[in-house]
Amino acid sequence: MSRKEKIQYKSHEQFLKMRQAGLVVADIHRALREKVRAGMTTADADAIAAEVLERAGSKSNFLGYYGYPGHICTSVNEVIVHGIPGDRVLEPGDLVSFDCGAVVDGWHGDAAISMVIPGGDPELTARRQRLSDMTEECMWRGIAAAATGSHVGDIGRAIDDFVVGLQEEPGIVEEYVGHGIGTAMHMAPDVPNYRTRSHLDKLKPGMALCIEPMLTSGSPENVTLGDDWTVVTLDGGDACHWEHEIAIHERGIWVLTAPDGGIEGLSPYGVVPVPLG
């Protein structure tokens, strides 16, 4: 019988190190938002991220992870997650998710954003932007549930309940979930993005969690391509991914990968994040 992996609880000082890594990730996101344009390749986006990492004196926690060849993941349209940067050219109207990470003094940051490349067919662009908006809201609802709930399962229930109430009925990808993070990128506990029968682990101070819902415009069924990384929708429909890393500390929560700690994103849900100090 395999023993369940123990959750790593962090001290205040360790959370501060994770905040440094989280802010490097936020800088990568900012650079990608400012610089990515139609006509660039996903490899160009990877180079932007590599430049930010080098300037920060940090390194990617994705590069070399089980042989992964990129600094970030670049997932376009039908790609749900783990898209490898390469020669794919970004077209106007493309929906692209950038999953980015950084390591500072052995502590990990990990977060994902999505954006629709300006231009293209207005109707298609609007549909893809709507999918991105819904996925981002799922993430913030999950983070709010982490602040107000008592168990990890409360996060997935908040996301699931929101999705079920949407007119569009997007699919929730269940094979890939959020996770604990700290001295490694993926740690206990798993953080499902859907309702489970179990309450799962109790939410306690010292936990660092990545909350990362992935929605699809059609069926959430998926397949991994021959490169053993790229996960695509089985029906060819669009997919979207958003993620933030949070710290649960004695006085509340703080979003480690958001420059403002999550103040703006959590305000619609009546949650006021508390700085680490």
Side-chain angles (χ1 to χ4, degrees):
M1 181 182 295
S2 61
R3 197 177 282 180
K4 183 179 177 182
E5 182 186 353
K6 290 185 178 180
I7 295 170
Q8 181 186 70
Y9 294 94
K10 287 79 176 173
S11 67
H12 176 74
E13 291 73 20
Q14 290 167 341
F15 271 145
L16 292 177
K17 287 291 185 184
M18 295 185 72
R19 174 60 165 167
Q20 291 179 38
L23 289 175
V24 174
V25 175
D27 284 343
I28 297 171
H29 289 170
R30 184 183 302 111
L32 291 168
R33 285 188 175 106
E34 291 174 353
K35 297 180 179 181
V36 169
R37 297 288 185 271
M40 298 177 70
T41 66
T42 53
D44 293 330
D46 191 71
I48 292 170
E51 182 182 355
V52 175
L53 287 162
E54 182 178 6
R55 191 166 62 243
S58 182
K59 64 178 183 178
S60 168
N61 44 12
F62 290 21
L63 184 64
Y65 185 73
Y66 291 99
Y68 184 77
H71 293 86
I72 61 175
C73 297
T74 54
S75 303
V76 184
N77 297 340
E78 77 284 354
V79 181
I80 299 171
V81 70
H82 303 158
I84 297 174
D87 59 6
R88 182 165 182 169
V89 176
L90 296 174
E91 305 287 348
D94 277 349
L95 171 57
V96 55
S97 300
F98 297 111
D99 194 357
C100 309
V103 186
V104 173
D105 292 339
W107 294 95
H108 289 247
D110 180 17
I113 59 169
S114 290
M115 60 183 289
V116 179
I117 305 299
D121 176 70
E123 184 177 339
L124 177 62
T125 297
R127 286 202 308 270
R128 286 175 169 164
Q129 185 61 55
R130 172 62 178 159
L131 181 62
S132 179
D133 292 344
M134 290 187 293
T135 311
E136 184 181 12
E137 183 165 355
C138 281
M139 177 190 68
W140 285 114
R141 285 177 179 267
I143 295 171
T148 59
S150 58
H151 291 80
V152 170
D154 295 330
I155 297 169
R157 278 189 285 276
I159 293 170
D160 204 318
D161 288 350
F162 171 65
V163 171
V164 167
L166 290 169
Q167 184 177 357
E168 294 90 344
E169 297 183 18
I172 301 176
V173 176
E174 297 188 2
E175 291 87 348
Y176 302 92
V177 298
H179 52 90
I181 188 168
T183 53
M185 182 161 55
H186 296 109
M187 308 183 79
D190 286 345
V191 184
N193 303 307
Y194 50 88
R195 181 178 288 273
T196 62
R197 292 183 179 180
S198 169
H199 289 299
L200 303 177
D201 295 280
K202 188 169 183 177
L203 294 167
K204 296 180 181 179
M207 278 183 167
L209 303 176
C210 287
I211 297 171
E212 51 177 322
M214 302 169 201
L215 298 187
T216 59
S217 60
S219 169
E221 291 186 54
N222 56 80
V223 63
T224 303
L225 299 184
D227 60 19
D228 292 329
W229 283 106
T230 308
V231 181
V232 301
T233 56
L234 200 58
D235 63 7
D238 293 325
C240 189
H241 177 202
W242 279 83
E243 175 185 16
H244 263 315
E245 174 183 318
I246 69 168
I248 302 174
H249 58 100
E250 294 290 348
R251 297 182 296 124
I253 71 161
W254 191 246
V255 183
L256 298 170
T257 45
D260 71 347
I263 293 171
E264 182 179 356
L266 288 168
S267 63
Y269 312 104
V271 174
V272 180
V274 180
L276 294 168

